[in-house]
Amino acid sequence: GSGGQNVNKVETAVRMKHVPTGIAVRCDEERTQGANKTAAVKRLKAKLIIEADAQRAKSFADIKGDVVKAEWGQQIRNYVMHPYRLLKDV
């Protein structure tokens, strides 16, 4: 068969876990353990960047609050009547 007796002899898979966030990555696509390690580090960095962006977007959303679209009928209209009386149409 293909590969002979050396098939499945060497395990080169790498698992990495970022302890503070608990994000884990596994890589077993390359032939050497060093190459798998560099690929796993790249994947872990990418996942951490995605997680940081999500946290940043969430904090911005918390600060910004609800967004009201500036469409017709959504604005608060102010009217000044004759004896200088202010009316608000909410």
Side-chain angles (χ1 to χ4, degrees), residues 3 9 19 28 31 33 37-38 40-41 44 46 50 57 68-69 79-80 82 86 90:
K9 190 168 91 172
V19 176
D28 59 354
R31 197 169 168 91
Q33 197 168 20
K37 185 176 179 181
T38 56
V41 167
L44 189 60
I50 290 171
V68 178
K69 295 181 180 176
Y79 303 101
V80 179
H82 173 58
L86 181 67
V90 179

Side-chain angles (χ1 to χ4, degrees), residues 6-82:
N6 287 330
V7 170
N8 297 331
K9 190 168 91 172
V10 180
E11 285 291 327
T12 61
V14 173
R15 274 182 282 175
M16 289 188 171
K17 183 177 182 182
H18 188 252
V19 176
T21 58
I23 296 175
V25 170
R26 182 175 190 271
C27 184
D28 59 354
E29 292 153 4
E30 302 296 328
R31 197 169 168 91
T32 63
Q33 197 168 20
N36 277 330
K37 185 176 179 181
T38 56
V41 167
K42 284 182 184 177
R43 284 188 191 172
L44 189 60
K45 283 182 182 179
K47 283 191 173 189
L48 287 172
I49 289 171
I50 290 171
E51 186 72 23
D53 287 345
Q55 288 288 336
R56 192 175 306 118
K58 184 178 178 291
S59 67
F60 282 156
D62 290 344
I63 293 170
K64 194 172 183 181
D66 293 334
V67 177
V68 178
K69 295 181 180 176
E71 294 176 347
W72 184 257
Q74 296 294 328
Q75 298 93 353
I76 297 173
R77 290 175 293 279
N78 295 329
Y79 303 101
V80 179
M81 302 310 265
H82 173 58

